[in-house]
Amino acid sequence: MTDKQATARNVSAGIEFHGRKMDFGFEFEDLPRYWYGNDAFKSTLMNALSCLFLEGERLFIDAVRDNEHLVKDERLQKQVKNFIKQEAIHGHEHHMLSEYLDTLGYPATKVEAQERAVRLFLKKHVPAKDRLAITCAVEHFTAMLAHQMLTNNELTDEMDPRIREMWKWHAIEETEHKGVCFDVYEAAGGGYWKRVFHMATITMTFVMRLSTVQAYFLWKDKQLFKWSTWKSAFRFYWKTPALIPTIWKEYKDYYRRDFHPWEHDNRELLEGWEAEHDNYKAV
Ligand SMILES: [Fe+2]
Ligand SMILES: [Fe+2]
């Protein structure tokens, strides 16, 4: 093991975190339909992403639970317990947003039901270690997005402050537990090729699924075939906040044999959040 790998694993083992039951006090009634910069593309993108979280996070929990018995390290066992708490609460909060999206005419809870069918299918037909490799891949995506949420003002400035608070809380917890699935995967004897194979397939399926759900939301709003929507999409991905170029290097790093999520040490982002927030109960 190289020094870099050893350092990343030490950081990962030393991270302490817990679940937080949030009380955002959402008053959705007065939330603008296009709550993200008054922009149809950006708002529907984040709405579509939010709809995929409830079942996505349950898939992660199932995968980790089904491999948990292979974890011998006590610190990692404790992290697994808190990981499960955090992901369960994330799913609950995103589901609340989905129920609100239903009232706006988006079939958000229907999307959740479709995702549930996919999750149950995967649970039945895909081996536990493969599901864990899928989870590691998606957790890398959430960790990259979380880092952008916490550092890139161009990404968050135009969001409605209430929804931004939810995404930032989720981003903090995704950062706190970004090494857990990876460490469980290694403890379970998961190998390199399985890990990168699932990253390649998840990249395609996740992007396709997200785009399909978003396209449906835009179509419902009669915004799908508008030039302004496509212009906004191009700007968002390539210019401001330029999501694709900003995460590209971190994405590619996942394909290295010696990759570990905590080689990108951003613990400093975790400091201060607790002191600034009292709208939660530690669990
Ligand atoms: Fe999450
Ligand atoms: Fe996560």
Side-chain angles (χ1 to χ4, degrees), residues 53 56-57 60 83 86-91 94 139 142 169-171 173-174 177:
F53 271 116
E57 318 234 41
F60 306 165
F83 166 85
Q86 288 192 333
E87 295 295 34
I89 299 169
H90 298 169
H94 284 281
E139 282 285 277
T142 56
W169 152 73
H170 196 161
E173 297 198 346
E174 287 305 323
H177 72 226

Side-chain angles (χ1 to χ4, degrees), residues 193-204:
W193 288 107
K194 197 188 285 294
R195 174 168 74 77
V196 296
F197 168 76
H198 284 298
M199 177 50 111
T201 54
I202 275 299
T203 302
M204 287 185 283

Side-chain angles (χ1 to χ4, degrees), residues 29-88:
E29 290 74 26
D30 62 339
L31 185 73
R33 187 175 193 86
Y34 298 136
W35 54 269
Y36 189 174
N38 197 28
D39 183 293
F41 173 81
K42 293 199 286 191
S43 304
T44 54
L45 175 68
M46 297 311 278
N47 289 344
L49 185 61
S50 180
C51 293
L52 301 182
F53 271 116
L54 174 66
E55 290 301 327
E57 318 234 41
R58 284 180 180 167
L59 183 143
F60 306 165
I61 292 171
D62 288 347
V64 169
R65 275 211 178 113
D66 291 346
N67 287 278
E68 202 180 358
H69 61 285
L70 298 166
V71 174
K72 305 291 174 236
D73 180 86
E74 274 181 27
R75 276 200 291 191
L76 184 53
Q77 286 170 349
K78 193 177 159 203
Q79 287 180 334
V80 164
K81 289 209 166 30
N82 287 318
F83 166 85
I84 291 172
K85 281 184 201 165
Q86 288 192 333
E87 295 295 34

Side-chain angles (χ1 to χ4, degrees), residues 87-157:
E87 295 295 34
I89 299 169
H90 298 169
H92 175 262
E93 294 299 321
H94 284 281
H95 176 64
M96 281 181 62
L97 185 56
S98 290
E99 287 188 340
Y100 172 70
L101 294 173
D102 276 359
T103 69
L104 297 179
Y106 299 118
T109 53
K110 265 198 196 130
V111 170
E112 288 182 345
Q114 290 166 357
E115 292 298 302
R116 180 177 163 79
V118 173
R119 174 175 67 87
L120 294 177
F121 177 86
L122 292 176
K123 191 173 166 138
K124 196 167 170 197
H125 298 289
V126 176
K129 209 174 286 172
D130 289 80
R131 283 185 280 118
L132 189 57
I134 291 170
T135 303
C136 290
V138 187
E139 282 285 277
H140 187 52
F141 269 106
T142 56
M144 290 188 295
L145 191 58
H147 185 79
Q148 293 301 316
M149 282 278 175
L150 296 171
T151 58
N152 189 345
N153 291 341
E154 287 182 346
L155 179 67
T156 52
D157 271 356

